[in-house]
Amino acid sequence: MADDKKPAGQALQEQLGQLTEQVQGSQAWSSIFRPGSIFRKGYNDSPRNRSYVIMNSVLYHLHPVKVKRHAVKVSYTLCLGGLSFFLFILLTVTGIFLMFFYRPTAAQAWDDIQTLQTAVGFGLLVRNMHRWAAHLMVLSVFLHMARVFYHGAYKPPREFNWVIGVMLLQFTLLLSFTGYLLPWDQLALWAVTVGTNMMGFTPVFGEQVRFVLLGGVEIGTDTLLRWYTLHVLMLPFVVVIFMAIHFWRVRKDGGISGPL
Amino acid sequence: MTEIPEHLRKRAEAAKAKAQGEAAPSAGDAAPAAAASGDDKIPSHLLDRGTAAADQPAPSAGSAGGGLAAPAGSSGPDGHNQRLLTVVKSGSIQDTKATPQDKVHVWPHLLLAEFLAALAVTLFTLLFSIFVNAPLLELADFNKTPNPSKAPWYFLGLQELLTMFHPMVAGVTIPGIGLIVLVMAPYMDKNPSKRPEDRKFAISLMTVHLMFWSVLVMIGSFFRGPGFNFIFPWNSGLFFEL
């Protein structure tokens, strides 16, 4: 029996070896596991290919091919602007997930969140991420502004980009504030009540602004729909436009500001 | 080799012959003209044409663009009616910046840093979200006002101001002025230097501004209890939800 077993095992090994060779020799395998295979013609590190990485990618093309050496110093920017943008993307992704399970009416909103947290896979986790990332984004945009100011990066030729940036800070606050109401719990309702009461003190058109924002004289289901639309569609739309101008101006004004 | 078309070759030959013929008579004029204006490199025949055109009476007093649609009679040599308007020296408009800059490739130097930063933030958010749940209090109830009622944390500075001033001042005037000054900062700060030692005033002003709001937000967040009265969180507990 032992004699029989050995050749059988060997045959199996040979077959396995053949199969491995076939698989690894196949075009599919080598195109997946070839180093640098995500680039059609492979990737080897050369100045030319380093440029192509940027030039041939619609996403990386936000960047120039080369930047000033000091601009890549993490200690200069602390990545705050880039992280604000990244948090915006993270919030968009998690926000889209939340939209699948949420109806902006006073009768359903709170129940939907409750259901999302208890009955939807990863629902609680994604809602948590959306909430914490939102607070983090307010913080990072604020810190980014402080960083830019202390580096004097708002000085010519970047004056107008500073103005755009302050706008973006306000839009970030508005995005966060409009999202605050959506869970329709006690926290949301009364935080927004306090917040919108403050708005009513604006001179001349304060009451009108408040009326338009609330969709009535008091917070209600109309407010919820209004703030939901502002939160998921209108403000992100405006923010994306302002971000596009912001990033474009960074490049047009000669990259980030120079060393001090 | 492709052959040059007959008509083009003829035209070129005619032009060459003409140029040779013109060079001889104008040589005498060119010498004094060049001597008169040291570094002037304007060919004399162009100058001649310019003066000739200037000497001619304008075709019609009213038409400013008369030179463009000059009648055949006033055209220059060879039927062309271009006219030398000005000669711009290359140095004055071509401002070449030849100073080399120390640059690095965005890939991998910048993209790698960005990727790692994004990864770190994602990890932080993910881990934080696993361990800390976002608040979800009971269903909104218009008849139950929580005590204290607080705005979102970034507006707590404003709410804090409301306890001290008239709503017009606290809610509109102070934040309005703060915001306008912030937006206008680059237009008011005319100091061209970016070095911290040259901008002591701007830096102190901004620091006071940022600290002003930070301290107000902290007080509003942690040191305000029921009735929005001042409390110490270590005595009365925390009245703060994110």
Side-chain angles (χ1 to χ4, degrees), chain A residues 43 63-65 67 69 86 110 127-128 131-132 135 149-150 154-155 162 176-177 184-186 190 219, chain B residues 102 104 106-107 114 122 129 132-135 137-138 141-142 144 153-154 182 189 191 193 199 207 242:
Chain A
Y43 181 81
H63 286 303
V65 165
V67 290
R69 185 179 291 279
F86 177 73
W110 190 86
R127 175 167 125 80
N128 289 347
R131 184 125 188 155
W132 302 135
H135 287 316
F149 188 93
Y150 286 127
Y154 59 86
K155 301 197 170 192
W162 167 267
S176 177
F177 190 46
W184 201 246
D185 60 349
Q186 280 289 74
W190 293 100
I219 297 178
Chain B
D102 190 14
V104 292
V106 163
W107 168 257
E114 281 181 348
T122 313
S129 300
V132 186
N133 283 340
L137 309 186
E138 64 268 37
D141 186 351
F142 289 96
K144 269 203 299 188
W153 64 270
Y154 35 83
L182 198 65
D189 179 6
N191 174 9
S193 172
R199 330 172 34 225
T207 309
L242 264 177

